[in-house]
Amino acid sequence: QVQLVESGGGLVQPGGSLRLSCAASGYIFSINTMAWYRQAPGQQRELVATSTKDGSTSYLDSVKGRFTISRDNANNTVYLQMNSLKFEDTAVYYCKMSLAEYAIVPIEDDYWGRGTQVTVSS
């Protein structure tokens, strides 16, 4: 089975930086979109950044210029570099990948990691 595991979360002061990583394991045929979401207590889960297979990226307006998503296709890994962190960035960050496992007819589906906590506090 496919598993996604996030790492890199933790406690950081305002203005600081963190880099999140998410690695997918399993018998993966292909990966299309890689993305990061976040969810703060009492809030809806929101899309933070996406990276398509052809290299295009998109970002939540509030993180533009501060966050950068990148991917390492050879290692089935996606990263989120977070700079100039603010209090409102505090949330559980989730990795999501749209991928297909090996099969006679591979069918793309969405897979989620279990999340990693990012806390921005002085």
Side-chain angles (χ1 to χ4, degrees), residues 8 11 16 24-25 34 37 40 42 63 70 77-78 83 99 106:
L11 176 65
S25 62
M34 298 182 179
Y37 290 73
V63 309
S70 60
T77 301
V78 62
N83 298 326
L99 58 83

Side-chain angles (χ1 to χ4, degrees), residues 19-24 28 31-32 34 36 51-53 55 69-80 97:
R19 189 178 77 153
L20 306 183
S21 299
C22 175
I28 299 171
I31 302 177
N32 189 359
M34 298 182 179
W36 288 96
S51 175
T52 64
K53 191 175 182 179
I69 188 171
S70 60
R71 60 196 285 167
D72 180 353
N73 291 321
N75 292 291
N76 298 328
T77 301
V78 62
Y79 303 94
L80 185 67
M97 297 187 186

